Amino acid sequence: MAKLTKAQREWRPGMPRKRRSTKVMFASTVLLLEAFVMFFATLAVFGLRRGEFPPAVILGVGIALCVVMIVACAFLTKPWGIGLGWILQLVLILTGIFEPAMFLVGTLFAAAWWYGIRTGIRLDREAGERAREQAAWEAAHPEEAGPG
């Protein structure tokens, strides 16, 4: 028999699904896109500046940053997760020291990060308000609400 997760063990019929955060979804999308860009920027620096830096250092640091950006997605629900994302935005911008085009790319991604966080917070707040209003209406009109 398959092992059930905590959420699966605690589920009961008629329980509403927990709403996923739009802010976390937007932030994860930006971080994953940044990981891809970081990978290709690593390859560019490897090809263009191999004589200036040891190849193992270029590939090691670049791939490590890619992995950190991907793993950071798992921590976005933690209170410090968004702060980690901001730090990664700064790191991405600072990679422009090695490849000047990354100053622009990093700044554009930081703007996308800011917009995604700001818009996600607003959408999550609006969804919470709609859910509360729906629950209040269903409590006031139980005969019209129907099952589920």
Side-chain angles (χ1 to χ4, degrees):
M1 187 158 114
K3 213 169 190 191
L4 299 177
T5 65
K6 180 182 175 191
Q8 290 171 327
R9 287 189 308 268
E10 293 175 355
W11 181 84
R12 300 292 175 257
M15 282 180 65
R17 280 183 56 188
K18 185 177 179 190
R19 189 168 183 345
R20 292 186 60 189
S21 170
T22 305
K23 175 183 79 169
V24 170
M25 182 181 62
F26 285 171
S28 293
T29 302
V30 172
L31 283 175
L32 287 174
L33 289 172
E34 287 175 345
F36 280 114
V37 167
M38 190 71 240
F39 176 73
F40 290 114
T42 299
L43 294 178
V45 171
F46 178 76
L48 296 173
R49 302 184 186 264
R50 197 177 327 186
E52 297 174 39
F53 305 102
V57 171
I58 295 171
L59 293 174
V61 170
I63 292 172
L65 283 172
C66 292
V67 170
V68 168
M69 288 175 175
I70 292 169
V71 170
C73 294
F75 299 111
L76 291 173
T77 57
K78 307 281 187 214
W80 49 270
I82 300 299
L84 175 62
W86 279 113
I87 292 169
L88 291 173
Q89 301 313 303
L90 180 62
V91 169
L92 187 65
I93 292 169
L94 291 177
T95 59
I97 294 168
F98 305 104
E99 177 53 47
M102 291 304 290
F103 284 124
L104 175 64
V105 172
T107 301
L108 293 174
F109 267 113
W113 173 264
W114 170 80
Y115 183 77
I117 297 299
R118 183 176 158 263
T119 303
I121 289 170
R122 181 179 54 84
L123 291 174
D124 286 342
R125 185 178 55 242
E126 290 173 3
E129 289 171 10
R130 276 194 307 276
R132 284 188 294 279
E133 290 171 3
Q134 180 69 29
W137 186 89
E138 288 176 359
H141 303 91
E143 67 282 347
E144 297 174 34

